[in-house]
Amino acid sequence: QVQLVESGGGLVQPGGSLRLSCAASGFTFSIRTMSWYRQAPGKERELVASITSDGGSTNYADSVKGRFTISRDNAKNTVYLQMNSLKPEDTAVYYCTTWLGQRRWGQGTQVTVSS
């Protein structure tokens, strides 16, 4: 059974940092590109960052370049999103996802950036 379980969200002040984790199971994690998406209230879900299976290539939304870093540990079946210099507009539910014949999603973790 495929499972993607996000953790690490919370409330943080502008300029602060958070590290999200996504623990994967039920598929061969090490051969899959992994991605983080986010969805803010009233907005479409959008791609934040992706990382290839070996971690050799990453890509980011323009809005997070230079502030967020995606990484993975294939030995732990886990993908991370380090978020620095957070802004109020980063407030959203963050989802871990991969493609397994169809897009599979975790349950999401709430990130709120507010003073």
Side-chain angles (χ1 to χ4, degrees), residues 10-28:
L11 173 64
V12 63
Q13 292 188 343
S17 297
L18 282 174
R19 188 195 196 202
L20 306 184
S21 299
C22 172
S25 61
F27 64 99
T28 308

Side-chain angles (χ1 to χ4, degrees), residues 11-54:
L11 173 64
V12 63
Q13 292 188 343
S17 297
L18 282 174
R19 188 195 196 202
L20 306 184
S21 299
C22 172
S25 61
F27 64 99
T28 308
F29 178 82
S30 62
I31 64 171
R32 299 293 175 183
T33 291
M34 298 298 297
S35 302
W36 286 96
Y37 278 65
R38 67 185 181 186
Q39 188 166 21
K43 294 190 175 181
E44 298 275 327
R45 195 170 293 191
E46 63 174 358
L47 175 67
V48 176
S50 289
I51 186 167
T52 53
S53 58
D54 65 354

Side-chain angles (χ1 to χ4, degrees), residues 40-112:
K43 294 190 175 181
E44 298 275 327
R45 195 170 293 191
E46 63 174 358
L47 175 67
V48 176
S50 289
I51 186 167
T52 53
S53 58
D54 65 354
S57 182
T58 58
N59 72 285
Y60 297 91
D62 288 343
S63 59
V64 307
K65 279 181 183 175
R67 300 188 298 121
F68 290 12
T69 302
I70 189 171
S71 62
R72 66 191 295 159
D73 185 338
N74 284 348
K76 295 182 178 179
N77 285 2
T78 301
V79 60
Y80 304 98
L81 187 68
Q82 177 67 43
M83 305 187 296
N84 299 328
S85 302
L86 282 161
K87 304 175 181 180
E89 51 263 43
D90 294 318
T91 295
V93 178
Y94 283 71
Y95 298 91
C96 172
T97 181
T98 192
W99 181 264
L100 295 168
Q102 61 181 334
R103 187 153 294 282
R104 305 299 295 265
W105 301 93
Q107 83 288 350
T109 186
Q110 176 70 48
V111 172
T112 302

